[in-house]
Amino acid sequence: MSAKPITHLDRLCIHTITTKPWAIEESAKNFAAAGVKGITVWRDALVGRDIKKTGDLLRNEGLSIVSLCRGGFFPSTDPVKRQAAIDDNRRAIEEAHALGTDLIVLVCGADPGQALATSRQQIREGIEKLIPEASAAGVRLAIEPLHPMYADTRSAINTLGQANDLCEAIQSPWVGVAADVYHLWWDPSLEQEIYRCGANNHLFAFHICDWKSPTIDLLNDRGLMGEGCVPIPLIRSWVEKAGFDGFMEVEIFSNLYWQQDQAKFLQKIIEAYKNC
Ligand code: ZN
């Protein structure tokens, strides 16, 4: 393949889960060889490894470690489980610090056995408990609002407006937002909420992929950019107008793509990125 300027990829980051069949070492080597500059690490990719050494390995490949995915899952009707979640988030902060990234993405959680408002209150309390450790470790926490189809168990924070409200209530420089087009594209308030988020310096991360139509699996049928109905260039323009100049993070969970040759998939990701 010849010769598009490498600068096109300067802001491209790929999540380890996107190429899940590859071990993290393999992803790092292949991303770097393809000119990708950033990697976001899912915690499952670190199992059984020395985390600090893995961070060194990624940096030695020339990759920026954009974030660690994921913390969160704060709400529960059971106080023992709520405490276990706090403990697990504290471990995530230690892991992020050891890895050498300054950002953790939070999938905030929900418990279908209680009201969403109760889950939101527990999310706020959980995040507030973590701020001392987060600031001591130099690790920021990004609330990722999830599409409302996940409001039963995965997140009671379902719009960027709710995430902005939460950040403004918590008022900590360590707490912001990860905006993912897959979760937010449908929201009629998205443009103004992106500007609001940027104006408050809360926009910490930007995730991209596409919403396929039809979507045949609610979790693992995400599309490559350009394959679905998300107006990615438009949303990207809002995010940049809001002052965001960080990585565009490709986060695709796909049973379809995980079955394919990952080297070919990586090339498809890069082509799709260049076109969005
Ligand atoms: Zn995401």
Side-chain angles (χ1 to χ4, degrees):
M1 277 191 25
S2 70
K4 289 193 180 171
I6 200 87
T7 51
H8 280 197
L9 303 184
D10 280 356
R11 291 178 57 203
L12 172 57
C13 165
I14 302 178
H15 285 223
T16 56
I17 199 163
T18 298
T19 53
K20 190 169 77 165
W22 277 343
I24 188 169
E25 296 81 4
E26 215 175 352
S27 290
K29 193 159 81 64
N30 291 319
F31 292 177
V36 177
K37 298 298 181 193
I39 188 167
T40 275
V41 176
W42 280 59
R43 292 173 76 191
D44 65 287
L46 294 171
V47 170
R49 288 166 175 80
D50 180 312
I51 294 177
K52 191 170 180 311
K53 281 186 188 157
T54 305
D56 291 340
L57 181 144
L58 302 180
R59 277 181 291 277
N60 287 340
E61 293 285 1
L63 296 167
S64 294
I65 307 174
V66 178
S67 67
L68 181 70
C69 276
R70 58 198 186 189
F73 290 99
F74 299 104
S76 175
T77 55
D78 179 349
V80 175
K81 288 187 181 160
R82 292 204 295 277
Q83 183 57 47
I86 297 293
D87 295 342
D88 184 61
N89 278 280
R90 289 187 170 131
R91 282 192 294 277
I93 290 169
E94 287 167 13
E95 288 168 23
H97 185 66
L99 189 65
T101 181
D102 70 347
L103 184 64
I104 292 177
V105 175
L106 301 177
V107 171
C108 290
D111 187 327
Q114 64 190 14
L116 285 169
T118 306
S119 286
R120 287 185 198 118
Q121 182 58 31
Q122 291 172 355
I123 290 165
R124 177 176 176 175
E125 288 165 8
I127 293 172
E128 286 177 333
K129 280 184 187 156
L130 297 174
I131 291 173
E133 283 93 346
S135 63
V139 173
R140 298 170 299 153
L141 305 172
I143 298 161
E144 180 166 14
L146 259 52
H147 190 284
M149 68 178 169
Y150 301 121
D152 56 343
T153 56
R154 287 179 187 272
S155 186
I157 309 296
N158 306 108
T159 64
L160 185 52
Q162 287 173 328
N164 281 334
D165 289 346
L166 187 53
C167 287
E168 288 168 23
I170 292 173
Q171 282 208 327
S172 164
W174 299 98
V175 180
V177 170
D180 185 327
V181 300
Y182 191 76
H183 298 297
L184 303 178
W185 68 278
W186 55 273
D187 183 348
S189 304
L190 184 57
E191 183 178 6
Q192 61 258 45
E193 291 296 339
I194 285 173
Y195 299 151
R196 175 184 168 201
C197 192
N200 290 315
N201 296 315
H202 286 149
L203 189 50
F204 288 177
F206 182 49
H207 296 175
I208 55 172
C209 69
D210 214 334
W211 183 286
K212 286 162 72 177
S213 186
T215 288
I216 58 172
D217 185 293
L218 294 186
L219 195 58
N220 294 328
D221 191 31
R222 294 187 179 202
L224 275 166
M225 298 75 76
E227 218 176 13
C229 54
V230 177
I232 299 172
L234 179 64
I235 298 174
R236 178 185 180 175
S237 74
W238 297 339
V239 161
E240 288 175 352
K241 204 165 149 193
F244 182 82
D245 61 0
F247 280 93
M248 311 246 302
E249 304 182 40
V250 178
E251 182 190 32
I252 300 173
F253 318 144
S254 166
N255 292 329
L256 177 72
Y257 286 120
W258 288 332
Q259 284 167 14
Q260 297 182 4
D261 179 301
Q262 296 298 287
K264 288 185 186 144
F265 178 40
L266 177 58
Q267 288 310 316
K268 284 184 190 166
I269 291 169
I270 289 170
E271 288 309 308
Y273 173 77
K274 286 176 179 168
N275 293 325
C276 80

